[in-house]
Each structure stands twice: as C-alpha cells, then as structure tokens.
Amino acid sequence: MSVWNFSAGPSMIPPEVMAQAQQEFCDFHGLGMGVVEMSHRWPEFMAVAQEAEALLRELMNIPDNYAVLFEQGGGRGQFAAVPLNLLPEDGFADYFVTGHWSRCAYKECAERYGDARLHECVVKDDNGQYVVDYSQMQVTPGASYAYLCLNETVNGIELFKLPEIGDVPLIADMSSDILTRPIDVTKFGAIIFGAQKNVAPAGLTVTIVRKDLIGKARKYCPSILDWAVLDKYESMYNTPNTFAWYMAGLAFQWIKALGGTAELERRNIEKSELLYNFLDQHPFYRCQVAKADRSRVNCVFNLANEDLNAEFLTQAKARNLIGLKGHKVLGGMRASIYNAMPIEGVRNLVAFLEEFAQAHS
Ligand SMILES: *Cc1c(COP(=O)(O)O)cnc(C)c1O
C-alpha cells in the first residue's frame, strides 16, 4: 500500500478490487476486449449487470417487492428525483435535517418542487457537542414521505435509530454508509446512494425503491429521473456507467467473500472506536459530535489549536496519510474510514496523531 487514503469520496477502493479490475481491464474473461469497450446491451455486459444487482440484493436482503435501479446523476440528482417521483403538486413532505446533505436535499425540494417541511434534528448538548434530537423526527399527518440522511458525511453524524413514522414512506440517503452495517430495507420506502463513497468509482447512483411507490412521477419529471422509466428499461433507458456498474459488482463480491455487512459492521466499529477513543483521551484533539451519534465512517475532529492545521496536513502527507482535510463548509479534519480502509490504516493514523500531539504540546 503506497498511501493511506482518507478521502471522503471518491475514496479508497479495496486493493483486491483494484487489482482484479486492472487484470481484466484489457481482456475481460478472454473476450479480447475490456468491459468499458462493450455495448451495455451485449449479453456479456448484461451478465455483469445482473450479477451486480443480484449480489446487492443478497448482501442487503432486498425483498422482491423492491426495485433496484442503477443510474447516473449522483446523490444530487436523487435530491430532485425524490420529490419529482413522490411528491404530488399539492402534497408536502417532511425533511429531517441532521447536517449538510439532508439540508441540501431539503433545499432542492423546497426551492424547486414544492412544500418541504423543515425539521431541525441536531442540537448542542451540555458539553457543546452536536447531538441528534430524535424527538424532532415527527411526521406531519398527510405527508407524502419523510426524508433523512442516515450518515452525514460532512458533519460526521450517523443515525443509529430510525423514527417511528407509521405508514409514511421513509426515504433515506445512504451515500456514505451503504453496506457498512446490516439494515432492514423493509423499513424504507426508498434508499438512494451514490457509489463513490463505499462501493465504486464516481458516476453510479443506486435507488432501491418499493415498487408500489413507482409510477407516480410528475408529468414534467425528466424521463431519466423517472423511476418507472428506469424500472421498465432495467436501468438501460440510456447508456449506463458500465465501468462503475462493473466495479460495483467486484466490490459486492469482495464484501460477500469477507462475510457480508455483519462482518463489515464489526470492522467498522473496531476501526472507529480505535480512532475516537484516542481522540477523546487526548486534549490536543476535539470531537464536536456527541459519542452516541458519531459516524463510524466519517470521523470529524479538530485540533485544539487550529493554527496548526496546515502543518498537521503537511506532516500527515509526508507520512503517506492523505485526504484528512475537513469539508470546506466545516473546516477542521475528517478521516473517512469506509469499508475499504483496513485497520492498519487507522493504526497508522493514530500513531501519527500521537506523535504530532507530542511534538506540539
Ligand atoms: C457525497 C454525498 C452526496 C452527494 O453526492 P453526489 O453524487 O456528489 O451528488 C449526497 N449525500 C451524501 C450523504 C453524500 O455523502
């Protein structure tokens, strides 16, 4: 491993997956050409596509009454697709905002498509740390759906509980925590995720949606965002990102081989506890998120003395620890330790954090 890459996304892909893709790049399964060179309609690619979907269904235990759509347009595209598919002109939807990405989704709906009701669901506790206020996650009777983001990539906040919202469909953005732990798909009306955080290269977006919610899109919803169209054409209404789809399939195989989401959860708990326990013990560093709500995959922290930020990043880089700079809206530091990051990477980071603190205390 040449570097430990803590980028929030696009981000590290398992070295085994990278190596397999490299090996097959010019000659896929003896066909004398690469996956990126074939038509998406050829049986060779259709097999790749179907296998990826089957593996995702298996890994997440997705029931048959859910469609799995492979799309483009990113998380941002789905911020529009959700209201365009689910929110009637005269309806309204509840948005449970816990950080940057759920706020972006709320704004997309409120500013362009209709009546989005904002619920601020993060407050500061007595220690001045951010904490999720689940009591704010109440649906308004008659809502077409309730929306939340299970893992706030920028803020480092993860939801480990789901609100009880009865029959109102719960729509979740899982761009950064997909496949990091087992979840019960049947609790959701739809799950959306961009692949570039935990699964594959950028340019692939997946929607997992209960079939009875499909087919109600607004008339002017672009066909390419209309889940009914994508479902009907099996995600091949236009040319899909064949390379990212193929890479996602390789990642799903990798996850299956190592034991699935339960094993990944175990690893992600181990990695994140190692990092947070160190940060909590050391006055040189601060975590702004309360313990119970800390993301297992995006660890956001600050140096107590922020004047040292640039120096910190330079020295980290010299130690092959890269991508630690926090998101521009928040500053500080962020270590993204997704599925592909092995515990050795986190151990290396902790060793550096310790040395840097000692050298500057
Ligand atoms: C990165 C991210 C997005 C934005 O995804 P794009 O594919 O860049 O549009 C949305 N939601 C979450 C939780 C993210 O981490």
Side-chain angles (χ1 to χ4, degrees), residues 73-77 79 101 149 151-153 173 175-176 194 196-197:
R76 292 268 194 189
F79 294 172
W101 287 118
C149 175
N151 184 70
E152 284 285 2
T153 321
D173 178 0
S175 290
S176 48
Q196 71 270 27
K197 313 283 163 66

Side-chain angles (χ1 to χ4, degrees), residues 45-56:
F45 184 78
M46 297 285 269
V48 169
Q50 282 159 10
E51 194 194 345
E53 180 181 333
L55 280 165
L56 183 61

Side-chain angles (χ1 to χ4, degrees), residues 139 163-169:
V139 278
E164 288 294 335
I165 59 169
D167 291 339
V168 175

Side-chain angles (χ1 to χ4, degrees), residues 86-88 90-94 140-146 167-171 213:
L86 298 177
L87 184 60
D90 57 353
F92 62 89
D94 289 304
T140 317
S144 295
Y145 62 86
D167 291 339
V168 175
L170 185 61
I171 313 302
L213 297 173

Side-chain angles (χ1 to χ4, degrees), residues 47-340:
V48 169
Q50 282 159 10
E51 194 194 345
E53 180 181 333
L55 280 165
L56 183 61
R57 284 186 179 275
E58 184 183 339
L59 290 170
M60 292 183 67
N61 215 350
I62 302 171
D64 287 344
N65 65 326
Y66 283 74
V68 179
L69 310 173
F70 289 74
E71 303 157 64
Q72 296 170 75
R76 292 268 194 189
Q78 293 303 302
F79 294 172
V82 167
L84 284 169
N85 280 276
L86 298 177
L87 184 60
E89 299 265 8
D90 57 353
F92 62 89
D94 289 304
Y95 277 76
F96 302 147
V97 168
T98 50
H100 177 75
W101 287 118
S102 47
R103 195 172 304 282
C104 289
Y106 160 74
K107 280 192 185 158
E108 180 74 9
C109 181
E111 290 172 6
R112 289 172 184 263
Y113 302 115
D115 187 356
R117 312 249 166 121
L118 174 64
H119 302 244
E120 296 281 0
C121 300
V122 167
V123 292
K124 277 198 172 178
D125 67 8
D126 296 340
N127 302 321
Q129 288 183 316
Y130 295 109
V131 61
V132 178
D133 182 358
Y134 284 93
S135 72
Q136 296 305 311
M137 294 189 188
Q138 308 279 350
V139 278
T140 317
S144 295
Y145 62 86
Y147 181 100
L148 48 69
C149 175
L150 225 59
N151 184 70
E152 284 285 2
T153 321
V154 173
N155 309 75
I157 292 173
E158 189 164 354
L159 304 182
F160 295 104
K161 281 188 285 186
L162 293 178
E164 288 294 335
I165 59 169
D167 291 339
V168 175
L170 185 61
I171 313 302
D173 178 0
M174 296 191 199
S175 290
S176 48
D177 64 333
I178 196 75
L179 296 165
T180 60
R181 58 180 162 118
I183 56 135
D184 180 355
V185 173
T186 65
K187 295 263 192 296
F188 301 91
I191 292 167
I192 58 169
F193 67 91
Q196 71 270 27
K197 313 283 163 66
N198 249 311
V199 176
L204 172 68
T205 317
V206 178
T207 303
I208 301 165
V209 54
R210 222 174 59 212
K211 285 180 178 166
D212 63 286
L213 297 173
I214 295 178
K216 300 172 187 169
R218 292 188 191 177
K219 215 171 150 196
Y220 52 80
C221 173
S223 307
I224 199 62
L225 291 181
D226 184 338
W227 295 335
V229 173
L230 291 157
D231 186 37
K232 180 173 165 207
Y233 287 87
E234 297 182 330
S235 305
M236 301 220 184
Y237 179 64
N238 78 327
T239 313
N241 182 337
T242 52
F243 184 62
W245 196 334
Y246 152 76
M247 290 287 284
L250 296 186
F252 299 154
Q253 283 168 17
W254 177 81
I255 293 171
K256 186 178 169 180
L258 62 79
T261 53
E263 169 61 14
L264 282 171
E265 178 175 50
R266 189 194 66 73
R267 293 182 186 196
N268 291 327
I269 289 173
E270 192 181 14
K271 287 185 288 178
S272 56
E273 282 186 349
L274 178 65
L275 188 47
Y276 286 123
N277 286 345
F278 172 83
L279 292 167
D280 281 338
Q281 280 161 24
H282 223 297
F284 194 83
Y285 301 101
R286 306 235 154 100
C287 276
Q288 301 212 29
V289 180
K291 270 188 185 165
D293 300 318
R294 286 177 186 170
S295 167
R296 288 180 186 150
V297 282
N298 303 105
C299 171
V300 172
F301 62 98
N302 296 77
L303 309 191
N305 176 2
E306 300 247 57
D307 294 342
L308 293 171
N309 281 356
E311 166 96 9
F312 176 90
L313 291 167
T314 306
Q315 291 204 14
K317 194 165 180 207
R319 295 274 302 264
N320 290 330
L321 302 162
I322 62 165
L324 289 165
K325 192 174 178 178
H327 190 277
K328 60 183 187 298
V329 303
L330 217 70
M333 303 298 158
R334 171 174 54 175
S336 296
I337 50 174
Y338 297 124
N339 286 338

